[in-house]
Amino acid sequence: DGGITQSPKYLFRKEGQNVTLSCEQNLNHDAMYWYRQDPGQGLRLIYYSQIVNDFQKGDIAEGYSVSREKKESFPLTVTSAQKNPTAFYLCASSLNAEQFFGPGTRLTVL
Amino acid sequence: DQQVKQNSPSLSVQEGRISILNCDYTNSMFDYFLWYKKYPAEGPTFLISISSIKDKNEDGRFTVFLNKSAKHLSLHIVPSQPGDSAVYFCAANYGTSYGKLTFGQGTILTVHP
């Protein structure tokens, strides 16, 4: 089955800890994206990558880091510098303008 | 600066009637627009898109209209079904190549049986 997987679906962490969210795609897409969704708000872009070993900051990159060592994988690290990390995180990939989304990871920082 | 706006947080319609979801944008550089549907705790799924060279695109029960002069687009769902109840996001892009999408805040559609 072709698609995007994100793991885990739910994640709990203590304040001050870094946490890494996984995103894998087998669609052979060059571009991958990370978004954050908060209640009552749209999706806000954190980071995106158009090609392996290259990525750019989105609109709300502060407190986050990414890597793109493989075409299939685009992990997101939420660092302790992120002031409000509790949110629903969505990963996406695309070949053109239409982006395909994973199921999301709900991160709760206690 | 909210470049893509969905001013109605929610919409409630009766099954079988038309649902009209609206979206406004401010950036005249946007030339490709998409609608996504999202259920709670799931990722958005693509519904329909439209390029700025068109003013209408239809796919089954879903039709998107684009009014470039007003910088306004709308999604019509006819007839509405209870399974259409979800959050609908409009998004905009420059061109059809991959790149950043700018999303609106979303509209919660509830279709009553």
Side-chain angles (χ1 to χ4, degrees), chain A residues 7-87:
Chain A
S7 60
K9 188 152 181 75
Y10 299 96
L11 190 55
F12 296 89
R13 279 296 181 267
K14 290 184 179 178
E15 195 171 342
Q17 288 182 335
N18 290 359
V19 59
T20 297
L21 281 59
S22 166
C23 178
E24 304 278 331
Q25 56 101 357
N26 60 4
L27 299 167
N28 201 33
H29 288 169
D30 287 316
M32 296 187 75
Y33 312 81
W34 272 105
Y35 293 89
R36 166 184 174 138
Q37 186 190 14
D38 294 283
Q41 296 197 35
L43 280 64
R44 292 185 292 165
L45 183 66
I46 303 172
Y47 267 98
Y48 65 106
S49 167
Q50 294 182 328
I51 199 165
V52 175
N53 292 323
D54 188 45
F55 49 83
Q56 288 81 38
K57 292 182 180 180
D59 300 317
I60 54 164
E62 186 175 348
Y64 300 98
S65 66
V66 293
S67 63
R68 186 85 189 277
E69 296 176 4
K70 298 187 300 182
K71 188 176 186 177
E72 302 79 20
S73 179
F74 191 40
L76 173 75
T77 297
V78 184
T79 75
S80 57
Q82 168 49 233
K83 296 286 184 275
N84 297 295
T86 294

Side-chain angles (χ1 to χ4, degrees), chain A residues 9-10 30-31 33 35 37 40-43 45 48 50 59 88 90 94-99 101-104, chain B residues 32 34 36 38 40-46 49 87 89 93 95-106:
Chain A
K9 188 152 181 75
Y10 299 96
D30 287 316
Y33 312 81
Y35 293 89
Q37 186 190 14
Q41 296 197 35
L43 280 64
L45 183 66
Y48 65 106
Q50 294 182 328
D59 300 317
F88 188 54
L90 287 157
S94 73
L95 204 54
N96 50 37
E98 180 187 330
Q99 293 183 15
F101 286 83
Chain B
Y32 194 71
L34 307 90
Y36 283 84
K38 184 182 180 301
E42 293 184 10
T45 54
F46 170 75
S49 63
V87 181
F89 291 98
N93 192 21
T96 55
S97 61
Y98 57 70
K100 301 193 302 179
L101 286 180
T102 301
F103 283 85
Q105 310 97 304

Side-chain angles (χ1 to χ4, degrees), chain B residues 18-94:
Chain B
I18 184 171
S19 296
I20 300 177
L21 297 105
N22 294 303
C23 180
D24 297 296
Y25 61 97
T26 57
N27 191 336
S28 56
M29 297 291 290
F30 289 141
D31 57 5
Y32 194 71
F33 304 89
L34 307 90
W35 284 94
Y36 283 84
K37 173 181 179 180
K38 184 182 180 301
Y39 293 115
E42 293 184 10
T45 54
F46 170 75
L47 266 180
I48 192 168
S49 63
I50 188 167
S51 165
S52 60
I53 62 173
K54 294 186 175 182
D55 53 20
K56 176 182 174 181
N57 189 24
E58 194 171 349
D59 183 2
R61 296 187 297 114
F62 302 92
T63 303
V64 56
F65 294 92
L66 176 63
N67 182 334
K68 290 187 290 292
S69 60
K71 294 192 179 68
H72 177 84
L73 64 154
S74 61
L75 175 67
H76 293 210
I77 306 173
V78 183
S80 300
Q81 299 173 353
D84 295 329
S85 298
V87 181
Y88 289 78
F89 291 98
C90 68
N93 192 21
Y94 307 106

